[in-house]
Amino acid sequence: MFEIYKKELLELLRDKKTLFFVIALPLLIFPLIMGFMAFLSSQAAMSAEQKVHQFAIVNPEFAPTFSERLFYHKSFKQAKTQGEYKSVDDLIEAVKSNQIDVGIFISGDPTQAMTEGKQTSWSIVFNDAKAISFIYSRIEDLQKKFADDLVGDALEKAGIEKRVHQAVLHPIQLEKVDTADKRENLGEKLGGIIPYLLIPLILAGAIYPAIDMGAGEKERGTLETLLLTPVSRTQLVLGKFFTLLTTSVSSAIITVLSLSLWVGIAISFIEIGVVKNAFASVGVKEFALIFMLLLPVAAILSSLVLAISIYARTFKEAQNYMGPLNLLVILPMMASVMPNMQLNSTTALIPITNVSLAIKDIIKGTIDFGSMWLIFASTAVLGGVLLVCCVRWFSCESVLFR
């Protein structure tokens, strides 16, 4: 078995394509892509923050204080076509034709309406399809200040002193006391991302070598030579399986080390408080636990892709069979980030989801070690069943030479 393992490993190390997917992809390509995406996101957020919006108000005389504040706001500029609009429909057409960024229609005098016990309706017309936009929140802030002024004036006219306005308007103030510490909060947010980085890479690290070891051997005609060697079918499968396990785990380890290295470099040049706090709470023990959890996942995925590769007749057929595996891995990970999804005796039995939930709990510092043993047991059983399937198929001539 060790000779088969050594032979397969040497062949993989000579294959540039495998080296690219196992080493170059997690070490350089992924960090570069992530860094580029982070740069683009920060640039888009900064651009949205600094953008000055063209605005127009219909009936500004009903809310002069609000109109004045909007006019002098650093993020808004009054459109030259301000006087051309008379209705909401006019503002909609103006926004659609990019004449203005936002239009505000004030239907009546809010001061008079308030004295009559009625509400005034304002329409804010803008394109809300943009992912990052501060238009509505900025106008809402100005509207709240204006409304507070109106209510304050009404209270003063009613003989209520200004010092008790807040107590009259907001007699109850809620104070949020969060029992979760900083690590638990960051772990809940960042812990769900880490499985998305590691588990697909484990799959990628196993797929390409597996295709070469099963379907590739069939296409090259070297499978018959391998079967003539004085090694049992079980030993042949185990040798190939441990080679896949090595490449998939190596891919995950290289990713973790690469991520740590690039984050360390980024922190040394740029002060990123959130990232620094998040990684400061994760120590060697947590990384070791995450690595232990990834081992059974790597065993399951290695057994699965090896079984598919043995069944496939050609390299291309194996690729077609393994294409949907990415979806098979991502969907259980998506389930782990659903609201109120927690690691318990039931979710610990769901493959991939259980490991994703456990990694999140490790980052949060709330891992239940009893559930971890349940995860190891369930994934070991599943990995063992898949490995038995590999051995049976590898022992079946109708599968090997179909």
Side-chain angles (χ1 to χ4, degrees), residues 1 4 227 231-242 306 387-388 390-392 394-395:
M1 185 185 75
I4 297 294
L227 294 173
V231 182
S232 70
R233 300 290 174 92
T234 304
Q235 288 176 321
L236 281 173
V237 171
L238 288 177
K240 289 176 180 292
F241 166 74
F242 282 116
L306 184 58
L387 204 54
V388 169
C390 290
V391 174
R392 286 179 65 85
F394 212 78
S395 304

Side-chain angles (χ1 to χ4, degrees), residues 70-234:
L70 192 63
F71 183 83
Y72 288 109
H73 197 287
K74 66 177 181 179
S75 299
F76 292 99
K77 182 180 179 182
Q78 191 174 55
K80 294 177 181 176
T81 52
Q82 158 80 21
E84 298 178 5
Y85 313 115
K86 305 296 180 188
S87 65
V88 175
D89 290 337
D90 291 344
L91 293 174
I92 291 173
E93 290 301 321
V95 171
K96 284 184 176 178
S97 59
N98 293 322
Q99 293 177 22
I100 58 173
D101 297 312
V102 57
I104 303 160
F105 181 83
I106 303 175
S107 60
D109 188 346
T111 306
Q112 184 180 350
M114 191 170 64
T115 57
E116 297 171 355
K118 298 178 182 177
Q119 280 186 318
T120 307
S121 176
W122 293 15
S123 298
I124 312 299
V125 182
F126 69 108
N127 187 341
D128 199 23
K130 294 178 181 177
I132 305 175
S133 174
F134 298 99
I135 289 179
Y136 189 80
S137 59
R138 284 169 177 161
I139 291 180
E140 193 176 32
D141 287 342
L142 292 174
Q143 176 270 331
K144 282 181 179 175
K145 288 179 184 175
F146 176 66
D148 287 344
D149 290 344
L150 287 181
V151 174
D153 293 341
L155 290 174
E156 283 189 19
K157 288 177 182 176
I160 299 175
E161 295 181 22
K162 192 172 184 178
R163 62 181 178 82
V164 296
H165 285 185
Q166 284 299 317
V168 173
L169 291 172
H170 308 289
I172 299 174
Q173 186 175 12
L174 295 179
E175 183 183 3
K176 183 179 177 182
V177 181
D178 190 358
T179 57
D181 57 20
K182 189 180 290 184
R183 176 179 175 177
E184 198 172 339
N185 273 322
L186 288 171
E188 183 67 29
K189 295 176 179 68
L190 296 178
I193 300 173
I194 292 178
Y196 279 93
L197 296 175
L198 297 180
I199 296 177
L201 279 173
I202 287 176
L203 179 62
I207 279 182
Y208 298 99
I211 293 175
D212 189 66
M213 287 180 201
E217 295 259 22
K218 287 183 183 178
E219 276 199 338
R220 290 194 301 272
T222 55
L223 185 62
E224 292 84 350
T225 308
L226 196 62
L227 294 173
L228 290 174
T229 57
V231 182
S232 70
R233 300 290 174 92
T234 304

Side-chain angles (χ1 to χ4, degrees), residues 258-280:
S258 169
L259 192 65
S260 307
L261 177 68
W262 286 105
V263 168
I265 292 172
I267 289 174
S268 63
F269 286 99
I270 307 168
E271 187 64 28
I272 311 173
V274 174
V275 178
K276 187 181 283 186
N277 290 334
F279 279 83

Side-chain angles (χ1 to χ4, degrees), residues 356-397:
S356 301
L357 289 170
I359 289 176
K360 193 160 69 171
D361 283 356
I362 288 171
I363 303 296
K364 288 163 62 179
T366 57
I367 183 66
D368 175 17
F369 289 97
S371 297
M372 276 192 69
W373 287 116
L374 201 56
I375 293 171
F376 280 124
S378 62
T379 48
V381 170
L382 182 58
V385 170
L386 290 170
L387 204 54
V388 169
C389 288
C390 290
V391 174
R392 286 179 65 85
W393 280 5
F394 212 78
S395 304
C396 186
E397 302 289 334

